[in-house]
Amino acid sequence: MKKNDLEFYDRSAAQWWQPDARIYALHRLNPLRFQYFDRHLTNWQGLRVLDVGCGGGFSCEFLAARGAKVFGIDRSQSCIATAKAHAATSGFKIDYQYGYAEDLPYADRYFDVVVCVDVLEHVTNWQQTVTEIHRVLQPGGTFCFDTINRTVQSQLMMIWFLERVVKAIDRGIHDWEKFIKPEELTSLMQQQSFTNIDIKGFSLFGSSPWDAIATFWHYKRTGSLRASITDNTSVMYIGKAEKTARS
């Protein structure tokens, strides 16, 4: 069976902004993610922000609505086309480009903030991706991220439960071996002179299989997701880091 099936995003591009599409669940995650990011960045107005792995534009438009100067990049040309079309319809000026996270087509020290959510566990080389993010950030700039931990719990939740049992996402989207432990990501960021690193658990499913089932059926009934920021990073985690002012 194919793993880390990135063609899913190409297949989803045409339905990206349709509320009944599976991919639309990612749109509903943004208010939950930014409950955390807003603790560290209280005013996005005028900030130059790059969304790495922007897909069809959910986070880009969320940020543009807050007054940020937004740039988005993705390896899916279909998603970029969708993102451009939807931004034009919505009246947002967003600079979208086709490209790869490991080779960002931007100048050194160009961005105030780089956002990378639901992406690091999918790229070919997450270490090179973080290196590139560090390069394009201004000194003092902020890296905002979330990703999936490589644990037994994440394998059960993200692959066995979501892909195989309730089939909330297509089978084969994830590859457990590409999930990243928080200590691995922290170690690399420290090597690259990121500082003020903060990582928290990003819980969408609670702490037990029964919580997960209840949360899933709540989403099916209401279309809303329930999330909390916790100290438990065993499945998903969210964080921020700052590029040192001397970098």
Side-chain angles (χ1 to χ4, degrees):
M1 182 187 69
K2 189 171 184 178
K3 296 180 181 179
N4 195 37
D5 180 15
L6 299 184
E7 293 175 5
F8 163 77
Y9 298 97
D10 292 315
R11 296 193 300 269
S12 301
Q15 295 82 38
W16 199 271
W17 287 91
Q18 295 178 10
D20 59 347
R22 285 184 177 182
I23 197 70
Y24 200 75
L26 298 180
H27 181 50
R28 296 187 171 102
L29 280 177
N30 272 324
L32 310 176
R33 287 179 172 127
F34 280 84
Q35 287 177 13
Y36 171 82
F37 295 145
D38 286 349
R39 297 177 183 178
H40 306 283
L41 289 159
T42 57
N43 184 7
W44 296 82
Q45 183 73 37
L47 293 180
R48 188 177 289 172
V49 183
L50 172 65
D51 182 12
V52 175
C54 64
F58 290 148
S59 295
C60 286
E61 293 202 12
F62 188 87
L63 288 161
R66 290 172 154 221
K69 299 175 182 178
V70 185
F71 298 70
I73 187 167
D74 200 276
R75 67 178 298 280
S76 169
Q77 291 179 317
S78 298
C79 285
I80 289 296
T82 293
K84 287 181 176 179
H86 197 271
T89 300
S90 302
F92 291 123
K93 293 182 179 180
I94 299 173
D95 187 323
Y96 284 113
Q97 289 197 51
Y98 163 74
Y100 287 80
E102 296 89 347
D103 187 20
L104 297 174
Y106 306 103
D108 296 356
R109 304 182 176 194
Y110 193 71
F111 295 102
D112 300 301
V113 182
V114 176
V115 174
C116 186
V117 292
D118 192 35
V119 170
L120 290 175
E121 68 273 18
H122 291 296
V123 297
T124 300
N125 187 327
W126 68 265
Q127 295 92 340
Q128 179 60 25
T129 296
V130 174
T131 298
E132 279 289 273
I133 287 169
H134 181 272
R135 179 183 65 79
V136 302
L137 269 173
Q138 292 186 13
T142 304
F143 174 30
C144 298
F145 58 87
D146 68 33
T147 190
I148 306 173
N149 199 348
R150 192 174 66 256
T151 61
V152 172
Q153 296 95 318
S154 69
Q155 187 173 44
L156 290 172
M157 185 61 63
M158 303 304 298
I159 297 176
W160 180 77
F161 181 69
L162 289 181
E163 292 189 12
R164 301 180 184 180
V165 176
V166 299
K167 300 179 180 178
I169 53 180
D170 288 7
R171 190 168 182 175
I173 289 176
H174 293 116
D175 179 354
W176 181 81
E177 293 182 356
K178 293 181 72 63
F179 293 174
I180 307 162
K181 289 183 175 294
E183 54 266 32
E184 295 170 342
L185 181 54
T186 297
S187 177
L188 178 64
M189 290 191 296
Q190 289 173 336
Q191 291 172 29
Q192 297 188 342
S193 76
F194 278 108
T195 189
N196 295 327
I197 298 168
D198 183 73
I199 289 178
K200 296 293 185 183
F202 186 34
S203 174
L204 296 179
F205 309 104
S207 58
S208 73
W210 306 115
D211 289 342
I213 292 169
T215 298
F216 174 74
W217 287 115
H218 172 80
Y219 173 70
K220 293 292 286 185
R221 290 194 311 271
T222 67
S224 64
L225 290 168
R226 295 181 292 193
S228 58
I229 306 300
T230 73
D231 292 325
N232 184 352
T233 62
S234 62
V235 179
M236 296 177 64
Y237 59 96
I238 191 166
K240 69 90 186 179
E242 297 171 12
K243 182 174 178 176
T244 59
R246 299 183 304 276
S247 296

